[in-house]
Amino acid sequence: MKKLLLALCLLCACSSLYAQTDSLFKAKLYNEEFDLEAEINFYDNNVNVPRMEMFGQQPGYLVKSRTSYPWIIAEAELTDDRSAQLVIINDAGSEDLVATLTCQSDSVYVLKQGRGSTMKVPKGSKWMKLPTTIVLKTKKND
């Protein structure tokens, strides 16, 4: 009986660990400092980019709140259980870059821009360059 109980406990623990890692890259994220929002699902690649439905479902996007100029995550490849290599393009397809998204904890992600264009978002009537490293947090309500 003890062996059966121990086996059931191990099975439950393993299945809950699997569920946690399988949902790390399925999230809604934000950055308060730059007023950014992001939605990702690197498992099913089934995110609809707002106002860009003609491109079909994508692995995700990043956009400044209340604007219609998203950066679309066109490709996402999990490099390990806590990191993904991304190919990101702007809404016009004229700029692209390679970036890495790393899950630091269950609620904190770090986006590091690599080679390619620098991400820019509208600010007033000008474009603001984003820093090469951006900390994103999960949205609790939505």
Side-chain angles (χ1 to χ4, degrees):
M1 186 67 176
K2 288 182 183 180
K3 288 181 182 180
L4 179 62
L5 185 59
L6 180 62
L8 285 174
C9 288
L10 285 173
L11 180 64
C12 289
C14 290
S15 65
S16 68
L17 284 175
Y18 174 76
Q20 287 177 346
T21 59
D22 193 37
S23 63
L24 284 178
F25 290 105
K26 180 179 180 182
K28 290 187 178 188
L29 309 170
Y30 74 97
N31 174 285
E32 199 170 310
E33 181 181 1
F34 300 104
D35 196 23
L36 302 172
E37 297 177 357
E39 183 176 353
I40 59 171
N41 185 341
F42 299 164
Y43 306 110
D44 301 321
N45 297 328
N46 63 353
V47 176
N48 289 314
V49 181
R51 294 176 291 283
M52 297 287 157
E53 289 81 8
M54 67 272 210
F55 292 123
Q57 295 181 325
Q58 301 294 326
Y61 66 89
L62 180 91
V63 67
K64 182 168 172 68
S65 299
R66 298 174 298 282
T67 68
S68 60
Y69 301 102
W71 284 87
I72 300 167
I73 300 171
E75 296 177 27
E77 180 182 340
L78 298 177
T79 54
D80 59 45
D81 61 337
R82 300 194 77 77
S83 298
Q85 185 84 18
L86 313 176
V87 174
I88 304 174
I89 60 171
N90 69 348
D91 59 328
S94 59
E95 298 184 66
D96 63 345
L97 65 125
V98 175
T100 303
L101 184 67
T102 304
C103 181
Q104 300 273 310
S105 68
D106 287 343
S107 62
V108 177
Y109 295 75
V110 176
L111 178 69
K112 288 187 181 179
Q113 298 179 48
R115 69 182 194 285
S117 303
T118 301
M119 293 177 73
K120 298 178 277 284
V121 295
K123 182 174 182 179
S125 61
K126 298 185 180 191
W127 290 96
M128 175 182 71
K129 288 184 180 182
L130 293 174
T132 55
T133 302
I134 302 168
V135 176
L136 300 159
K137 296 181 180 179
T138 55
K139 280 188 168 182
K140 297 296 181 199
N141 299 328
D142 234 10

